[in-house]
């Protein structure tokens, strides 16, 4: 089993304490052992194999946010304590900016989590799995103006993956930096002890293009959340052969809490 960076730093103190605690109490020793093993479970990093086509989920968990923000679509995945906390790229992209924003540590499924500590990984997408833009750069520039986190002097980007800390998460560890190229399903970073990951899609993505609904279970790097193709819009240039249909979206609500 692979583990995310930092796993042993958190787990070793408890694992080393377990045999010494046995001299005083078997119960305390077992608790220390359980804490060490549980910490390693939080940091587990299994290999994932993306499907042949489609935009994939950035995180394990449950879809808790699915809404339109201006002319953009935001998808949020809430990670519970038992989920893998390694975050993966939903699509092929070039990283244009990585920004850390300090904040609170509210429960990641609550509306107050919008004020939480986060890391924005802004990208220029390079994926045939996304719908083709009809209006080119103009749409992306308009989308940047709608993005509350955008800055006039930051490099251009048309999509964003945001790692959000939760009530127990205290550290976000990005693996990428500006100028890096990432492939679909590649690791972007991890959040120590969990919380939420959001994807802000390029402006050419519509809410009806999304093939998952709030409450659906996700597997990072494997669950397809958007499948570009004729069923997603009729005139979309897929860039690769595919006969996969896009599922319908049943829930278009704007509430951030999981259904």
């Amino acid at each position: 089993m692979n583990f995310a960076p930092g796993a042993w730093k958190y787990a070793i103190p408890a694992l080393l304490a377990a045999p010494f605690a046995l001299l005083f109490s078997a119960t305390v020793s077992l608790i220390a052992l359980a804490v060490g093993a549980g910490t390693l479970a939080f940091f587990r990093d299994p290999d994932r194999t993306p499907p042949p086509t489609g935009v994939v989920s950035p995180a394990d968990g449950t879809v808790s946010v699915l809404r339109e923000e201006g002319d953009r679509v935001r998808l949020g995945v809430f990670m519970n304590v038992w989920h893998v906390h390694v975050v993966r790229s939903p699509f092929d992209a070039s990283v244009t900016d990585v920004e850390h924003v300090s904040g609170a540590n509210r429960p990641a499924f609550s509306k107050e989590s919008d004020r939480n500590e986060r890391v924005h990984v802004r990208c220029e997408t390079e994926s045939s799995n996304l719908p083709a833009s009809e209006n080119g750069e103009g749409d992306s520039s308009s989308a940047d103006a709608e993005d509350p986190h955008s800055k006039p002097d930051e490099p251009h980007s048309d999509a964003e993956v945001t790692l959000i800390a939760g009530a127990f998460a205290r550290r976000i560890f990005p693996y990428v930096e500006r100028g890096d190229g990432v492939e679909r399903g590649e690791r972007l970073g991890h959040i120590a002890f969990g919380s939420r990951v959001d994807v802000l899609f390029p402006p050419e993505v519509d809410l009806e293009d999304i093939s998952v609904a709030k409450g659906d279970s996700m597997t990072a790097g494997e669950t397809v959340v958007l499948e570009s193709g004729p069923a997603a819009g009729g005139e979309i240039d897929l860039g690769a052969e595919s006969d996969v249909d896009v599922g319908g979206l049943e829930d278009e609500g704007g509430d951030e809490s999981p259904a």
Side-chain angles (χ1 to χ4, degrees):
M1 172 67 71
N2 298 322
F3 296 102
W8 292 104
K9 178 181 71 174
Y10 289 103
I12 280 179
L15 294 176
L16 290 179
F20 293 101
L22 188 60
L23 299 175
F24 304 98
S25 169
T27 300
V28 173
S29 178
L30 289 174
I31 291 174
L33 187 62
V35 168
T39 300
L40 290 178
F42 272 118
F43 283 82
R44 69 193 186 280
D45 183 12
D47 292 329
R48 297 285 170 78
T49 303
T53 62
V55 175
V56 295
S57 174
D60 285 18
T62 304
V63 176
S64 61
V65 176
L66 185 57
R67 64 172 182 250
E68 291 180 317
E69 295 183 0
D71 61 352
R72 308 290 288 273
V73 173
R74 181 178 296 276
L75 171 73
V77 179
F78 171 68
M79 296 181 289
N80 224 318
V81 293
W82 55 80
H83 291 124
V84 173
H85 296 110
V86 175
V87 179
R88 294 174 180 268
S89 179
F91 30 61
D92 296 345
S94 295
V95 178
T96 61
D97 189 41
V98 178
E99 179 190 15
H100 177 267
V101 179
S102 299
N105 290 95
R106 304 294 184 184
F109 54 82
S110 69
K111 294 184 177 181
E112 289 79 9
S113 65
D114 284 342
R115 301 186 182 93
N116 279 10
E117 177 184 359
R118 64 195 60 220
V119 169
H120 299 288
V121 180
R122 298 187 176 94
C123 304
E124 186 75 24
T125 57
E126 303 171 349
S127 177
S128 61
N129 293 288
L130 286 163
S133 174
E134 295 181 358
N135 298 314
E137 294 293 324
D139 279 349
S140 296
S141 299
S142 171
D144 288 342
E146 295 287 345
D147 184 359
H149 303 296
S150 66
K151 300 177 182 178
D153 58 345
E154 72 184 10
H156 173 73
S157 62
D158 65 357
E160 182 176 288
V161 180
T162 302
L163 289 68
I164 305 173
F168 299 102
R170 290 295 182 269
R171 290 294 303 276
I172 301 173
F173 299 87
Y175 297 169
V176 295
E177 57 187 21
R178 181 183 296 184
D180 287 350
V182 293
E183 297 181 355
R184 187 172 58 107
E186 184 176 341
R187 296 168 177 87
L188 292 179
H190 80 276
I191 310 172
F193 307 110
S195 72
R196 196 178 100 198
V197 180
D198 284 8
V199 179
L200 188 65
F201 287 97
E204 57 266 23
V205 174
D206 296 323
L207 196 60
E208 56 266 26
D209 293 331
I210 306 301
S211 57
V212 297
K214 290 174 67 175
D216 286 355
S217 180
M218 301 287 103
T219 299
E222 294 186 349
T223 301
V224 173
V225 299
L226 184 157
E227 183 73 72
S228 179
E235 297 180 358
I236 292 171
D237 180 12
L238 179 63
E241 294 183 0
S242 175
D243 293 324
V244 180
D245 291 332
V246 177
L249 178 62
E250 297 295 333
D251 186 351
E252 296 183 3
D255 192 346
E256 292 185 63
S257 301

